Amino acid sequence: MFLEDKDLVSIQEVRNLIRDAKKAQAELAKMSQEQIDTIVKVVAKACYDERERLAKMAAQETGFGRWEDKVLKNALASKGILEEIKDMKTVGVLSEDKEKKVLEVGVPVGVIAGLIPSTNPTSTVMYKALIALKAGNSIVFSPHPNALKCIEETVEIIKKAAKSAGCPDGAISAIHRVSIAATNELMRHKDTNLILATGGNAMVKAAYSSGTPAIGVGPGNGPAFIERTADVPKAVRQILDSKTFDNGVICASEQSIIVEEDMKEKVVAEFKKQGAYFVPAEDAKKLGSFIIQPSGAMNPKMVGKTPQVIGELAGISVPADARVLIAEETGVGKQYPYSMEKLAPVLGFYTVKDWLEACELSIKILHHEGAGHTLAIHSQNEEIIREFALKKPVSRLLINTPAALGGVGATTGLFPAFTLGCGAVGGSATSDNVSPLNLFNIRRVAYGTSELSDLRQAENMAVEEPKAVAVDGSNEEELVTLLVQRVLEKLK
């Protein structure tokens, strides 16, 4: 009896998809900006129209988050993205500098591998498809197996809409026989030109070690510092809005709170008033050992779950009306679970003497996990904000806004994105909220403006001692003016 080798079958599927994607991309590369923009507009509308149905599918299939919040994410990833990219120049002639005689031309990178997580599956597919198409690329998706159905459905909606607008077949596709072997083949194939990796550490490391250019993102572990000049009720509301949004699965969401000693009582009272539950010390130990596994990895069982479900799984009692679980923490490291990333409505709570200690603590937390990602400050003190901006190892410093929504560009002026670069400090190729601008190369056409002899004459004139001009430093302006005049005369 013949037994099908699932890995071999999945690898062959990937090769077929890449072959079709390469052929389709060659057709996309011939299209004008207007043709590309028409495809993008039609795809965005189709995704937006299906935002609620796809949100419900994602919530039901993965068990993560709240479908109502996933609707908003889908809206941002479709209509919101379109509003940001509709006027971008991405193909053909981008700019022309007539004075310097330099012409810039947009060149698509080619075939993109889009790795999709289970935490934000449908919205990430929409977002990556739109920014890839906008830059004239084709894209092959590698779905997370726990979100395969909703990802497949989203891809089908995009394919149908794109084709109706003139997009070639094969420009958008997804692996159906999902396997590690298939994803590795997609990342390492000679015709894959770029990897967009959104997911866990292992996935991102695999992308960067594949030999293919990659844009990946590391974990988020952003602290939120409530400084003494903050509007405390507003700050608490924004943190709770952020941490409860889709049950905390957005990586930019706050992971810990830092407050100054003389503010602690006021802040704690406000959190309790707005529905946060401070977990007693003994229960906090049980909860901590549940949310972070001995290896230091986040427990997947608690991702995107409600406080009540998390409490039940951890074996602790949680009030029915608790919006977020908060536990006091004192240290940073694997033995301090609340200092780690927690993609759920769970927060660590730190107390410091002053903003300088808060500054040092936030750096320590970020270097432990989350370097290059996101940090939030609630403050009216611009000097302190500036100090944080100059020193913190993050790519996004969010001021007086919910971090989950601010980081992805929903409540800030940042580009709306579901791939948030962490820069070199976070092991990422970019610190951007990834956009179409990251997905094409620029060919520069440069006309000659001078000859070698002109360069030599200019250099000789620059080193000649000017006649009739003193060089004792008393008339430097006159000296510089004379030198410039002589160089210009020679270049005429």
Side-chain angles (χ1 to χ4, degrees):
M1 181 179 177
F2 174 75
L3 295 177
E4 180 180 88
D5 189 312
K6 293 182 180 180
D7 283 350
L8 289 178
V9 172
S10 65
I11 289 172
Q12 186 59 55
E13 181 191 13
V14 168
R15 291 174 178 172
N16 294 341
L17 293 176
I18 293 176
R19 179 196 62 213
D20 294 343
K22 184 177 181 180
K23 182 179 178 182
Q25 198 282 316
E27 294 299 315
L28 285 171
K30 299 174 184 177
M31 291 185 174
S32 67
Q33 186 74 72
E34 183 179 4
Q35 289 173 305
I36 291 291
D37 288 349
T38 297
I39 294 170
V40 168
K41 183 177 180 180
V42 171
V43 168
K45 183 180 185 306
C47 291
Y48 183 75
D49 289 346
E50 294 280 11
R51 64 192 184 284
E52 183 173 318
R53 183 171 70 88
L54 293 173
K56 290 178 178 177
M57 283 188 67
Q60 182 176 5
E61 182 177 5
T62 65
F64 296 160
R66 304 173 67 250
W67 72 263
E68 297 90 344
D69 292 339
K70 294 184 187 297
V71 173
L72 295 179
K73 289 197 292 187
N74 287 344
L76 180 67
S78 53
K79 187 178 180 180
I81 293 288
L82 178 63
E83 288 300 312
E84 287 289 325
I85 69 176
K86 63 182 181 181
D87 297 324
M88 279 185 183
K89 288 185 177 181
T90 54
V91 299
V93 176
L94 304 177
S95 65
E96 183 175 6
D97 188 328
K98 293 185 178 181
E99 184 178 345
K100 293 183 177 180
K101 295 186 177 181
V102 174
L103 184 74
E104 294 187 336
V105 178
V107 182
V109 297
V111 177
I112 295 176
L115 279 54
I116 307 299
S118 57
T119 47
N120 306 296
T122 57
S123 53
T124 304
V125 169
M126 294 175 188
Y127 151 72
K128 288 188 177 181
L130 286 172
I131 64 173
L133 289 170
K134 175 69 178 182
N137 304 296
S138 57
I139 186 164
V140 179
F141 290 108
S142 174
H144 192 288
N146 293 341
L148 179 60
K149 292 180 181 178
C150 64
I151 291 172
E152 287 179 327
E153 182 64 17
T154 307
V155 170
E156 285 303 310
I157 290 168
I158 293 171
K159 286 170 62 176
K160 183 178 179 180
K163 185 174 183 179
S164 73
C167 186
D169 289 333
I172 307 103
S173 60
I175 302 170
H176 298 291
R177 294 175 177 268
V178 179
S179 69
I180 294 175
T183 301
N184 286 335
E185 179 68 15
L186 176 62
M187 293 192 295
R188 296 172 181 172
H189 196 283
K190 64 181 179 62
D191 289 329
T192 297
N193 303 106
L194 180 71
I195 303 169
L196 271 182
T198 308
N201 270 330
M203 176 190 287
V204 173
K205 287 181 180 178
Y208 278 119
S209 63
S210 67
T212 302
I215 297 176
V217 298
N221 190 30
F225 175 40
I226 303 177
E227 193 264 332
R228 68 177 65 247
T229 64
D231 180 336
V232 172
K234 181 180 178 182
V236 169
R237 172 176 56 78
Q238 290 182 335
I239 292 171
L240 291 179
D241 284 348
S242 175
K243 198 59 177 170
T244 57
F245 185 80
D246 210 15
N247 286 343
V249 298
I250 294 181
C251 55
S253 63
E254 299 86 346
Q255 304 299 323
S256 55
I257 303 158
I258 302 174
V259 300
E260 294 162 277
E261 286 178 351
D262 58 357
M263 293 281 290
K264 179 179 180 180
E265 187 176 337
K266 180 179 179 181
V267 171
V268 169
E270 189 61 39
F271 267 109
K272 289 180 178 179
K273 179 181 177 182
Q274 294 194 34
Y277 175 63
F278 281 77
V279 183
E282 285 303 313
D283 284 349
K285 290 181 181 179
K286 291 182 181 179
L287 178 62
S289 63
F290 169 75
I291 62 174
I292 303 297
Q293 298 174 327
S295 63
M298 191 187 336
N299 189 337
K301 293 181 180 179
M302 67 104 175
V303 174
K305 298 298 191 296
T306 65
Q308 291 71 29
V309 170
I310 293 171
E312 184 177 349
L313 292 172
I316 67 171
S317 177
V318 173
D321 60 351
R323 297 178 62 196
V324 166
L325 304 179
I326 300 178
E328 294 207 40
E329 188 58 274
T330 56
V332 177
K334 286 186 178 181
Q335 67 272 37
Y336 301 100
Y338 298 101
S339 70
M340 312 280 285
E341 183 184 38
K342 307 164 287 296
L343 297 181
V346 179
L347 288 162
F349 191 94
Y350 291 91
T351 305
V352 295
K353 291 181 180 179
D354 52 31
W355 73 267
L356 289 169
E357 189 176 339
C359 189
E360 294 173 1
L361 176 60
S362 61
I363 291 175
K364 189 174 182 181
I365 291 171
L366 289 162
H367 278 305
H368 171 60
E369 185 178 41
H373 208 291
T374 304
L375 170 70
I377 301 179
H378 296 268
S379 173
Q380 304 301 321
N381 189 320
E382 291 298 328
E383 292 184 8
I384 291 178
I385 291 171
R386 181 63 60 90
E387 286 298 314
F388 270 69
L390 291 172
K391 298 178 181 179
K392 296 302 159 292
V394 292
S395 300
R396 279 155 293 278
L397 181 63
L398 306 174
I399 313 301
N400 301 325
T401 191
L405 300 170
V408 300
T411 61
T412 62
L414 299 177
F415 183 85
F418 289 92
T419 297
L420 309 179
C422 296
V425 69
S428 179
T430 181
S431 58
D432 294 342
N433 279 23
V434 178
S435 77
L437 300 179
N438 301 97
L439 304 184
F440 64 85
N441 295 318
I442 297 177
R443 178 183 299 129
R444 292 173 175 85
V445 182
Y447 291 80
T449 58
S450 61
E451 298 288 344
L452 175 59
S453 58
D454 298 324
L455 301 178
R456 284 175 173 161
Q457 288 180 5
E459 177 62 20
N460 290 336
M461 290 302 301
V463 299
E464 278 186 13
E465 182 177 347
K467 296 179 180 179
V469 178
V471 291
D472 61 359
S474 61
N475 53 356
E476 290 183 1
E477 290 187 9
E478 184 180 352
L479 173 60
V480 171
T481 300
L482 182 60
L483 284 173
V484 171
Q485 287 175 345
R486 289 188 177 184
V487 171
L488 291 176
E489 287 174 2
K490 289 291 184 180
L491 289 177
K492 286 183 179 178

